[in-house]
Amino acid sequence: MMGLQKKYTDGSEYNGNINDKGEKDGNGTLVFKDGTKYHGHFKNGFFSGHGVLEICAEKGQHKYQGQFANGKFEGYGVFTQSDNMMYEGEFHDGAVQGKSDI
């Protein structure tokens, strides 16, 4: 793995490790054009393992901190909306799963 700093044509920027295929792999930070930011682990180009996603939205910033797999929320995590509504619990395939604390 080697480190890379790259700006993409869609306006996003990546700073972190890549694999021999040129995919994001290992620890890194990806900042999208709208200001949304992911910092954490990547595998084969996708968010994977532990990370923090700060989502810029029209009504404020939302945050997810927890586990990812194939670019989606997967496993234990905490999602907080800009109005401070918080969900803490399990996620599967990007969606809330099972019991939680709200």
Side-chain angles (χ1 to χ4, degrees):
M1 268 189 252
M2 58 197 272
L4 172 77
Q5 187 168 359
K6 183 172 183 177
K7 188 168 189 170
Y8 297 92
T9 57
D10 66 2
S12 62
E13 294 183 39
Y14 176 71
N15 188 0
N17 295 318
I18 58 170
N19 61 22
D20 57 0
K21 297 177 190 174
E23 300 168 323
K24 300 171 202 75
D25 204 89
N27 290 322
T29 300
L30 180 62
V31 180
F32 295 90
K33 185 178 181 178
D34 71 354
T36 295
K37 178 180 177 181
Y38 173 79
H39 178 76
H41 197 266
F42 291 83
K43 184 172 183 179
N44 299 324
F46 294 99
F47 307 161
S48 185
H50 189 271
V52 177
L53 180 64
E54 297 173 355
I55 305 163
C56 291
E58 234 177 77
K59 295 184 179 183
Q61 189 169 5
H62 310 304
K63 181 178 180 179
Y64 173 80
Q65 182 170 352
Q67 298 297 312
F68 290 84
N70 297 315
K72 297 178 181 178
F73 305 162
E74 183 70 36
Y76 177 80
V78 178
F79 183 84
T80 307
Q81 290 187 177
S82 60
D83 64 2
N84 290 324
M85 188 287 297
M86 184 177 82
Y87 170 87
E88 182 176 354
E90 294 293 320
F91 291 81
H92 177 66
D93 201 25
V96 170
Q97 181 76 26
K99 295 184 178 186
S100 69
D101 292 325
I102 296 180

